[in-house]
């Protein structure tokens, strides 16, 4: 049936990740996770070889260790989101709060209690929790002791964790996402994939020779874990919905020219973004990986029952991040950041986020991605990350006039509405970073996404006081009018 605009019950809101906002990185029994040794995922993890094994090197300043202290200030922050009228708020459960090392048999009660308090607070404010089970937060110990997802044992550790979560929060959470941007396994394996991958220049040994073969095997274990999670979620919380979460800026890959080889290059690049979609949504390995597997000499190690498990337990919906599009030329090696990939400049795109990030602004790319997904997978879509990072300072009246952000959102929502008119079933839109948090890629506070300003700078100075930017009222109005008045 034709849908002209955002449906009733559309899930408006915002999204963050535990490791970028909570802080309290060792409080109440929490163990270290992979992002705790990172001052930005695009930088080298701070690890050292002690002669026998890898260990955390915690010398220096790590912005995420305190972050915006959401762990203690969540009530104030959730109430501000409530004031904006949020219907949903996405955050992750930090796995190492629940199982500090990851391989324990009993969970950490204090960690579980924190999320009880947090979800209760959301409900008090009329906000539905949307929970990412793993957002770049694999317990570090699982990497240093077991190699992370290179090891099949991870499936059992993961299973124990998600079972604990489902049983504990079954009355409180109805929306789950499995692994955040899991396709980043191939781009930033350490944090994105939970795989022990230390670059050779960091020290000379161990896994310097990690190959795509290894990553494909890790992907297989993750696919099994994903399928088991979907199955378990349905058993324990039958009325919940569970989705995959993929970074899909890469689906908006345009060829540099209409030369057939450039068009084919763009298609190959899109295939990389489709790999996990095929596994999680169609429940099967896509035929397009066969050629690469043949060329790299990978022969998957599968158990007989694996493929049926993947086939029978596909996700309910597709959630994804979209920040920007990119342009590819045949033969070009694409570079990656947390927003997706980047290659040549697109002469038809004239607007960029400010320096030093310079992310191209391409709202139509969002419509393109939605249609692409709708054509291939026929599942409801959930935009769980879209936003713009700006370097902002309050003016002399203490206000932040972030009209660039308002324009960015307005234009993306216009295009989302077009996608709905094109026939896409869109469940919701969660703006990335409704409150300023630590940037995933570069560890900065100065890359601000929020409607809510947090007084803290890159060096950790500031009062942590929260204040409303101009876009706060703008977004509130968008939600109030269910996106009619953009
Ligand atoms: C995505 C991540 C988020 C996030 C966002 C913006 O890749 O899932 O965690 O932070 O990118 O990236 P950044 O913070 O580097 O600007």
């Amino acid at each position: 049936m034709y849908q002209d605009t955002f449906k009733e019950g559309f899930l408006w809101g915002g999204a963050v990740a535990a490791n970028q906002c909570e802080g309290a990185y060792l409080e109440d029994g929490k163990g270290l996770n992979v992002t705790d040794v990172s001052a930005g995922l695009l930088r080298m993890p701070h690890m050292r070889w002690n002669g026998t094994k890898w260990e955390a090197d915690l010398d220096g300043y790590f912005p995420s260790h305190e972050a915006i202290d959401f762990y203690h200030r969540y009530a104030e922050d959730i109430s501000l989101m409530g004031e904006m009228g949020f219907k949903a708020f996405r955050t992750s459960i930090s796995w190492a709060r629940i199982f500090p090392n990851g391989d324990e048999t009993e969970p950490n009660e204090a960690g579980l209690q924190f999320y009880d308090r947090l979800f209760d607070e959301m409900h008090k404010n009329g906000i539905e929790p949307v929970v990412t089970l793993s957002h770049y937060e694999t317990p570090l110990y699982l990497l240093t002791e077991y190699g992370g997802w290179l090891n099949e044992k991870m499936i059992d550790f993961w299973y124990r964790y998600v079972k604990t979560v489902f049983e504990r929060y079954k009355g409180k959470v109805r929306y789950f996402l499995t692994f955040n941007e899991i396709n980043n396994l191939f781009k930033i394996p350490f944090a994105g994939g939970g795989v022990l991958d230390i670059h050779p220049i960091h020290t000379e040994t161990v896994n310097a020779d990690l190959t795509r073969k290894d990553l494909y095997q890790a992907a297989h274990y993750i696919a099994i874990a994903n399928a088991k999670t979907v199955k378990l979620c349905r058993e324990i919380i039958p009325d919940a919905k569970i989705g995959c979460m993929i970074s899909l800026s890469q689906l908006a890959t345009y060829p540099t020219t209409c030369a057939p080889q450039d068009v084919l290059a763009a298609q190959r690049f899109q295939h990389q973004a489709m790999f996990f979609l095929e596994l999680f949504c169609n429940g099967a390995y896509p035929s397009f990986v066969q050629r690469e597997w043949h060329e790299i000499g990978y022969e998957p190690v599968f158990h007989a029952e694996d493929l049926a498990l993947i086939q029978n337990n596909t996700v309910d919906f597709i959630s994804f991040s979209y920040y920007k599009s990119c342009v590819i030329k045949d033969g070009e090696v694409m570079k990656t950041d947390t927003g997706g990939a980047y290659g040549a400049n697109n002469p038809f795109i004239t607007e960029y986020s400010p320096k030093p990030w310079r992310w191209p602004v391409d709202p139509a790319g969002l419509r393109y991605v939605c249609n692409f997904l709708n054509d291939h997978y026929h599942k409801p879509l959930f935009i769980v990350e879209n936003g713009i990072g700006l370097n902002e300072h309050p003016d002399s009246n203490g206000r932040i006039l972030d009209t660039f952000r308002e324009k960015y959102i307005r234009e993306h929502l216009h295009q989302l509405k077009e996608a709905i008119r094109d026939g896409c079933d869109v469940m919701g839109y969660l703006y990335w970073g409704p409150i300023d948090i630590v940037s995933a890629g570069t560890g900065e506070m100065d890359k601000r996404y929020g409607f809510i300003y947090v007084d803290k700078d890159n060096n950790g100075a500031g009062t942590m006081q929260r204040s409303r930017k101009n876009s706060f009222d703008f977004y509130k109005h968008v939600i109030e009018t269910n996106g009619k008045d953009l």
Side-chain angles (χ1 to χ4, degrees), residues 125-322:
N125 284 274
I127 300 174
E128 191 80 55
V130 176
V131 168
T132 316
L133 292 164
S134 176
H135 193 128
Y136 302 155
E137 282 147 358
T138 312
L140 188 65
Y141 184 84
L142 293 180
L143 274 74
T144 53
E145 289 299 307
Y146 299 93
W149 285 99
L150 299 173
N151 190 331
E152 192 173 4
K153 285 193 182 133
M154 286 291 282
I155 299 174
D156 291 338
F157 300 142
W158 167 265
Y159 194 78
R160 194 176 303 146
Y161 160 62
V162 295
K163 186 161 185 278
T164 305
V165 167
F166 292 150
E167 284 171 348
R168 178 74 171 220
Y169 305 118
K170 64 177 173 226
K172 299 184 183 186
V173 181
R174 292 195 299 146
Y175 295 93
F176 290 97
L177 320 180
T178 52
F179 299 91
N180 180 64
E181 296 190 331
I182 191 55
N183 46 333
N184 281 342
L185 162 70
F186 289 97
K187 300 174 194 160
I188 34 172
F190 184 83
V195 157
L196 187 62
D197 153 48
I198 309 284
H199 195 273
I201 57 164
H202 210 53
T203 110
E204 308 69 27
T205 51
V206 184
N207 283 323
D209 57 351
L210 185 86
T211 61
R212 280 183 75 83
K213 283 201 247 187
D214 299 318
L215 294 177
Y216 273 116
Q217 192 58 42
H220 183 66
Y221 298 143
I222 290 169
I224 298 294
N226 190 79
K228 287 188 162 195
T229 309
V230 170
K231 187 164 184 285
L232 188 67
C233 182
R234 290 189 179 132
E235 282 161 15
I236 299 179
I237 325 180
D239 64 334
K241 299 260 176 261
I242 184 156
C244 56
M245 178 358 180
I246 322 271
S247 165
L248 289 182
S249 297
Q250 195 174 330
L251 272 187
T253 301
Y254 311 138
T256 312
T257 70
C258 49
Q261 59 272 33
D262 286 342
V263 175
L264 284 166
Q267 190 176 53
R268 280 196 302 275
F269 202 55
Q270 286 179 320
H271 280 163
Q272 291 177 13
M274 290 164 68
F275 174 71
F276 279 105
L277 285 167
E278 296 288 329
L279 275 173
F280 295 167
C281 303
N282 284 343
Y285 275 99
S287 49
F288 60 70
V289 288
Q290 300 298 336
R291 179 174 185 158
E292 186 189 349
W293 284 4
H294 173 73
E295 285 170 1
I296 64 177
Y298 172 61
E299 284 179 23
V301 183
F302 292 169
H303 298 297
E305 66 279 11
D306 287 359
L307 297 180
L309 187 75
I310 292 171
Q311 175 77 72
N312 295 332
N313 295 285
T314 57
V315 292
D316 294 317
F317 61 87
I318 302 173
S319 74
F320 64 97
S321 56
Y322 172 78

Side-chain angles (χ1 to χ4, degrees), residues 15-17 19-20 40-42 90 135-136 180-181 184 188 245 247 321 323 337-340 357 359 384-389 432-433 437-444 447-449:
V16 296
N19 71 86
Q20 292 171 258
L41 303 187
L42 303 173
R90 169 186 175 222
H135 193 128
Y136 302 155
N180 180 64
E181 296 190 331
N184 281 342
I188 34 172
M245 178 358 180
S247 165
S321 56
Y323 290 94
D337 58 25
T338 38
W357 310 295
W359 287 8
V384 297
E385 282 190 35
N386 173 244
I388 184 100
W432 176 257
I437 52 177
V438 176
S439 141
T442 56
E444 295 160 292
K447 191 178 187 190
R448 299 173 181 279
Y449 285 82

